[in-house]
Amino acid sequence: METLLVFVPCALYNEEPGTLYGVVQETKEEYVKCYFVIGKAEGLNENYGVEKCNIIGYYCKGSSSIVSFKQKSDWVVLGLCGSEFILHVIVSAGNVVDMSKPCQTVCIIYDHEKFIQSELFLQSLEPDGSLYGDHFKMLASNLNSVSLKNSRVRPFSSVILKNVLSQQIIRLLLCIANILLNCITFTHPVLKYTALELHLQTFLKSLIWILQSASCKKILSVKVWNYIVATIVDVCCGMLLLYWLTAVTSSPPQLLLESGEVVVTTLRELLHLKLNYAFNNMLGQFFLYHINVWWTFLVVAKPVLEVAFHIFLCLGRLGLTFQASILVDLLELVSFHIYCIYVYAARLYSLQVSGLVALWRLFLGRKHNPLRGRVDSCQYSSHQLFVGTLAFTILLFLLPTTLMYYIVFTTLRLVVVGLEGLLTRVRYILQCLPLYVSTLWLLQSTIVSSTVHLTVQCRETQGPLLLSVQPVPGSWWNTVQYCIPELVHSPPRVNWGNLIGNLVSGKLIYPS
Amino acid sequence: MTQKQQTWKKNLYENVDYPDNYTDKTFLEELKKNVHITEISPRSAVLGAGLVTQEISIVIFFVIIYVYLYNGWIEPETVIVQSSLVATIGYLLYRIVLTKKNYYEALVKDLRTVLIFVVFGYILSPVLKTLTDTISTDTIYATASFMMIIHLIFFDYGVPAAIVSSSLSLNAAIFGSVCLASRLASPFHAFVLLTNAVECFVLLPILLSKGRGSVIVLTAMIAIAVYVLWTVSLIMMVLCVCITLFVTVLCPVWFLRWQNCKENIYGPWDEAIVHDTEM
């Protein structure tokens, strides 16, 4: 049995009798037929600019008058009794439907203004854009596609934006932003390793997006407002932090050098542990040499650091996110030597571990068979066994020393990578800060409503079921997720299992 | 109820009146016990057990060499000269007397092997000497003992068994000897011990595999092992004698005595074994 849904706008309460126009949609799989009544028609044959939108019914206020509808296949006749709607007649596919069967016909009363106002409703579409199964989304899309003359949308911003002068200003800003973006894209192959350049690119692209939505669509959606508010908060926080920094420290490069000195002295003390003396000595000399090289590099690069600090002060005014990206770049520069030493230690350790694993197999009299990808038994000759066992013994007893160095330098590297990851994620959160959206959600405004709330109007044992629907905001997290700007890419998730595997086998760790 | 008039015969085409799962009382007459029994003489049992004793005595020789070198009772130069002599004699004996083949090609290959052993041993002995400086002596001795036991368990005694892994036994012996060598006084001592390890665990078993059935060789080895242990420590000698008696005398006696308890049953229910026939 087919279920019939009739969507009736509550604006019809105050209207005079007349013909109704709307859309009839049918979903064959669920045997549901929806009659979306959009409003009262002015004439009989108007073009509403949307396919399938035509006259679908008649509204008679008091008594049920008879209008000939014999030629129509789908027809609805509505009436008003007291303060409630009555569905007099429904025609489906040419047959008059018997409304005495309970719950076969459902009449849903909606507030047309609120459905238009909600901006997030249509965003919760299926990935392929089909509206299958959700009748309220079908309703919202039909309402939006029909252009309505008496729609009242947020007058304030649209008045300002429709002003010709402001349009010119917006176009000028758009040109400048495009030029800047082209410059940045030109230097992209060279500078793509710096976080600052990437951030600048995202920032300019978002700015262009805001300006375009201001000039083309002439209204600013919730997403755009959210991003603008987040950027303003970002800039304020940045200014505060700069003010605090200049008040607290006189010269950050000096601070950096002092912390570097602490690290170096700690490293020197580590070499007094109980390890294999000769090997330890050799490795220790090697790494100490590198640490001294880094120390010299820091001292020499001190003026460069001062310049970088001034850049930090300038660009940092553009927001906390810029400061975070500059910090990431500075951190990478300063920790370059740690990266080099880490690479040496990691390569040595991975060589030793893989050699140990292969020789352990030899110890047991087995061998890896690359043809079959498995470990087989193998008849070694005695001198192969002799040399193999000697090498195994040597590698085994030198492992603690190598392990010690590897652990130390990997910890340092992990700290640096962790800091960088933290700063990247802080930047991402700042860019998507949902202050504006949360405020709207707290005030339960209809702009951020993404789901509906149905109440039963009257319950009769016979006749159609009367419901009324209100769009309401969904959960806070859903609302926030709809308003994340698309141009901002979330940082990739850390694959912990992979990370631990790489640590144990000595493969290099890269920042994500 | 059918009358069973005909006697049951062991074929497929008669016995019509009998049910399909009928078991006749003549079934167990075809049972045979201990068909493939092999009589093992005491001499062969003792000689078989003697293989294990031989290997134990080789391990004892090697450890005695280590003890002498460690305590400084013998100079490493003496050890290496004497062991090289013994090795050369053993090699010539093996190649000329026992395997009566043309030995010129084998000579080149063997020289190459010797060169590899000597060169690697000599180069790596300074490294090997300082390997275990930070590890306590007790750990070293425990590891060496454990490795020697593994060597004895997995050694190839000439009997086909699934547990035999000659690579593992050799590797365990070399590992144990490297552990011991790192405790000696100088790199040259370590090199000497390593060379002796190679001779004892690689070369000697090849030579002894030719003398498997000989009582003289067995008694000679046991006697030498007991004598050198006596020069080191009386308790160890007594222990060695006890172990030798256990392995060489007691175990074969038990083995022979308990052969009487063997009860393998064979019958027509065994799996058929298909033999290849010569056509």
Side-chain angles (χ1 to χ4, degrees):
Chain A
M1 301 305 299
E2 224 186 24
T3 313
L4 301 170
L5 299 174
V6 183
F7 290 83
V8 178
C10 63
L12 282 184
Y13 277 140
N14 308 321
E15 293 272 357
E16 298 298 322
T19 47
L20 300 170
Y21 76 96
V23 177
V24 178
Q25 275 177 337
E26 189 166 353
T27 54
K28 291 215 184 318
E29 290 85 356
E30 285 186 6
Y31 300 99
V32 172
K33 196 161 182 175
C34 306
Y35 295 78
F36 296 108
V37 176
I38 298 184
K40 199 164 82 77
E42 309 299 330
L44 271 179
N45 288 317
E46 256 186 54
N47 185 15
Y48 296 97
V50 176
E51 57 165 82
K52 293 198 281 188
C53 180
N54 42 23
I55 306 286
I56 61 165
Y58 188 77
Y59 174 56
C60 51
K61 213 161 178 177
S63 56
S64 62
S65 68
I66 299 156
V67 174
S68 76
F69 48 78
K70 295 284 184 326
Q71 300 88 11
K72 306 283 182 186
S73 60
D74 301 307
W75 193 254
V76 167
V77 178
L78 287 170
L80 190 67
C81 173
S83 59
E84 289 170 6
F85 281 107
I86 299 179
L87 202 57
H88 290 294
V89 175
I90 286 191
V91 176
S92 164
N95 309 318
V96 179
V97 173
D98 179 14
M99 289 188 287
S100 55
K101 292 201 181 65
C103 292
Q104 201 203 352
T105 356
V106 182
C107 182
I108 304 177
I109 303 169
Y110 68 92
D111 187 350
H112 143 124
E113 296 287 334
K114 291 195 177 162
F115 268 89
I116 300 261
Q117 270 181 358
S118 156
E119 293 185 25
L120 296 184
F121 216 74
L122 285 173
Q123 279 199 313
S124 44
L125 286 178
E126 309 292 317
D128 56 353
S130 72
L131 300 169
Y132 171 70
D134 197 326
H135 308 291
F136 293 104
K137 286 184 193 153
M138 286 193 229
L139 171 66
S141 76
N142 287 327
L143 284 175
N144 275 322
S145 48
V146 174
S147 60
L148 295 157
K149 297 166 202 132
N150 53 348
S151 61
R152 288 177 298 151
V153 200
R154 308 197 41 231
F156 177 65
S157 55
S158 69
V159 163
I160 292 213
L161 288 172
K162 281 179 185 159
N163 194 358
V164 174
L165 183 62
S166 58
Q167 284 291 316
Q168 295 294 353
I169 295 175
I170 288 174
R171 289 221 181 86
L172 184 67
L173 286 172
L174 206 57
C175 281
I176 297 175
N178 267 323
I179 291 170
L180 278 174
L181 187 63
N182 285 336
C183 294
I184 298 282
T185 327
F186 184 67
T187 57
H188 183 74
V190 173
L191 290 180
K192 68 180 171 196
Y193 296 109
T194 57
L196 180 61
E197 191 266 344
L198 288 172
H199 182 69
L200 208 55
Q201 219 180 13
T202 321
F203 177 72
L204 284 171
K205 279 186 190 160
S206 315
L207 193 63
I208 290 175
W209 166 58
I210 294 176
L211 291 171
Q212 271 176 346
S213 62
S215 70
C216 300
K217 299 182 204 161
K218 302 217 175 8
I219 51 163
L220 292 175
S221 64
V222 176
K223 258 198 198 174
V224 175
W225 273 116
N226 195 26
Y227 185 73
I228 292 176
V229 167
T231 320
I232 292 174
V233 167
D234 183 20
V235 170
C236 293
C237 285
M239 297 282 216
L240 276 173
L241 194 67
L242 279 179
Y243 178 71
W244 175 75
L245 261 183
T246 47
V248 166
T249 57
S250 55
S251 169
Q254 193 58 38
L255 203 70
L256 205 60
L257 280 178
E258 280 162 23
S259 57
E261 196 170 344
V262 168
V263 170
V264 169
T265 42
T266 325
L267 282 174
R268 286 201 182 118
E269 271 164 31
L270 274 174
L271 306 177
H272 296 308
L273 286 175
K274 212 173 118 170
L275 302 166
N276 186 343
Y277 181 68
F279 192 51
N280 190 15
N281 226 11
M282 189 183 80
L283 279 180
Q285 296 286 353
F286 182 67
F287 287 124
L288 262 180
Y289 167 71
H290 273 276
I291 292 172
N292 285 332
V293 166
W294 170 60
W295 184 249
T296 331
F297 163 74
L298 269 190
V299 170
V300 161
K302 191 167 164 196
V304 176
L305 282 177
E306 296 266 354
V307 169
F309 186 61
H310 281 298
I311 295 179
F312 181 76
L313 283 178
C314 289
L315 276 180
R317 290 205 184 92
L318 282 174
L320 201 60
T321 47
F322 277 93
Q323 290 174 1
S325 37
I326 294 176
L327 263 178
V328 165
D329 286 333
L330 273 181
L331 201 62
E332 283 227 0
L333 197 66
V334 164
S335 69
F336 185 65
H337 79 290
I338 294 184
Y339 178 64
C340 283
I341 295 183
Y342 163 72
V343 168
Y344 293 142
R347 288 263 185 257
L348 187 66
Y349 173 73
S350 76
L351 267 175
Q352 193 155 355
V353 162
S354 57
L356 215 55
V357 166
L359 286 171
W360 170 250
R361 287 198 205 112
L362 181 140
F363 196 87
L364 292 176
R366 310 175 82 197
K367 195 175 128 176
H368 177 69
N369 186 352
L371 187 65
R372 292 293 187 101
R374 65 180 184 201
V375 181
D376 287 332
S377 63
C378 172
Q379 280 293 101
Y380 291 100
S381 61
S382 55
H383 61 264
Q384 282 175 332
L385 287 175
F386 178 68
V387 177
T389 310
L390 282 185
F392 174 75
T393 320
I394 293 175
L395 283 181
L396 185 67
F397 284 116
L398 293 178
L399 191 67
T401 315
T402 318
L403 196 65
M404 176 56 55
Y405 278 95
Y406 178 67
I407 287 177
V408 166
F409 292 116
T410 312
T411 316
L412 283 174
R413 174 80 178 144
L414 277 178
V415 162
V416 169
V417 168
L419 269 177
E420 284 180 21
L422 192 70
L423 283 173
T424 314
R425 280 165 181 81
V426 161
R427 218 177 71 207
Y428 173 68
I429 290 178
L430 276 176
Q431 280 183 313
C432 308
L433 206 60
L435 273 182
Y436 182 66
V437 167
S438 305
T439 324
L440 283 182
W441 181 84
L442 277 175
L443 299 174
Q444 299 276 307
S445 124
T446 47
I447 303 174
V448 294
S449 51
S450 54
T451 183
V452 295
H453 176 71
L454 290 163
T455 46
V456 178
Q457 287 277 67
C458 80
R459 187 84 178 93
E460 289 176 20
T461 49
Q462 286 205 344
L465 179 64
L466 272 179
L467 302 171
S468 85
V469 67
Q470 295 286 337
V472 290
S475 72
W476 175 79
W477 182 240
N478 269 344
T479 324
V480 162
Q481 275 187 316
Y482 290 142
C483 290
I484 293 178
E486 293 112 10
L487 288 168
V488 176
H489 303 291
S490 72
R493 298 200 68 106
V494 176
N495 190 347
W496 293 104
N498 229 8
L499 186 67
I500 292 177
N502 282 349
L503 277 178
V504 168
S505 67
K507 293 202 184 79
L508 295 176
I509 300 169
Y510 295 103
S512 55
Chain B
M1 187 148 148
T2 56
Q3 278 284 70
K4 295 183 178 55
Q5 290 174 341
Q6 295 166 317
T7 52
W8 184 85
K9 289 202 181 63
K10 194 181 172 202
N11 53 30
L12 289 174
Y13 47 88
E14 296 179 22
N15 314 320
V16 180
D17 296 329
Y18 290 89
D20 286 336
N21 57 355
Y22 175 74
T23 315
D24 202 53
K25 54 188 180 299
T26 59
F27 182 62
L28 282 178
E29 285 169 13
E30 305 223 13
L31 175 74
K32 297 190 192 87
K33 282 199 186 179
N34 292 336
V35 175
H36 302 298
I37 204 165
T38 46
E39 282 295 326
I40 303 179
S41 68
R43 180 195 160 94
S44 57
V46 168
L47 281 175
L51 293 172
V52 181
T53 323
Q54 269 180 357
E55 197 57 32
I56 293 178
S57 44
I58 292 178
V59 171
I60 293 175
F61 290 153
F62 174 71
V63 174
I64 294 299
I65 295 175
Y66 164 74
V67 170
Y68 271 56
L69 278 174
Y70 185 68
N71 290 328
W73 296 338
I74 196 170
E75 291 301 312
E77 292 85 359
T78 325
V79 175
I80 198 160
V81 163
Q82 286 180 353
S83 59
S84 308
L85 269 174
V86 171
T88 322
I89 293 172
Y91 175 70
L92 287 171
L93 193 71
Y94 179 73
R95 279 278 175 233
I96 298 173
V97 176
L98 295 172
T99 49
K100 295 173 171 53
K101 277 196 304 192
N102 194 359
Y103 51 84
Y104 285 115
E105 311 95 42
L107 192 70
V108 175
K109 213 161 67 102
D110 291 336
L111 270 179
R112 182 173 144 253
T113 315
V114 165
L115 205 66
I116 289 178
F117 282 134
V118 167
V119 163
F120 270 98
Y122 197 67
I123 289 177
L124 290 176
S125 47
V127 179
L128 290 173
K129 174 159 168 357
T130 59
L131 263 183
T132 57
D133 277 343
T134 54
I135 302 181
S136 75
T137 315
D138 290 336
T139 318
I140 296 286
Y141 287 164
T143 317
S145 323
F146 179 64
M147 284 297 152
M148 290 307 170
I149 291 175
I150 298 237
H151 164 75
L152 286 170
I153 291 174
F154 289 96
F155 187 70
D156 184 8
Y157 293 105
V159 179
I163 203 177
V164 165
S165 168
S166 58
S167 330
L168 180 58
S169 70
L170 179 62
N171 284 334
I174 304 281
F175 187 82
S177 59
V178 167
C179 285
L180 288 178
S182 63
R183 276 275 166 267
L184 289 175
S186 82
F188 188 60
H189 284 78
F191 170 63
V192 164
L193 192 68
L194 214 54
T195 319
N196 272 298
V198 168
E199 285 168 9
C200 287
F201 297 117
V202 179
L203 303 178
L204 207 53
I206 302 177
L207 183 62
L208 283 178
S209 65
K210 290 293 171 189
R212 279 236 160 98
S214 156
V215 183
I216 303 170
V217 171
L218 178 62
T219 40
M221 295 194 74
I222 295 174
I224 298 176
V226 168
Y227 171 70
V228 289
L229 262 184
W230 180 56
T231 61
V232 173
S233 147
L234 194 64
I235 302 174
M236 284 296 156
M237 187 201 85
V238 170
L239 191 63
C240 167
V241 167
C242 289
I243 291 179
T244 311
L245 281 175
F246 175 76
V247 172
T248 322
V249 176
L250 200 58
C251 287
V253 163
W254 277 338
F255 179 69
L256 289 171
R257 234 188 321 140
W258 292 335
Q259 288 285 330
N260 297 332
C261 304
K262 220 178 183 181
E263 200 169 311
N264 292 341
I265 54 177
Y266 300 88
W269 51 82
D270 285 335
E271 273 180 31
I273 300 173
V274 181
H275 296 287
D276 289 332
T277 51
E278 298 284 335
M279 296 297 282

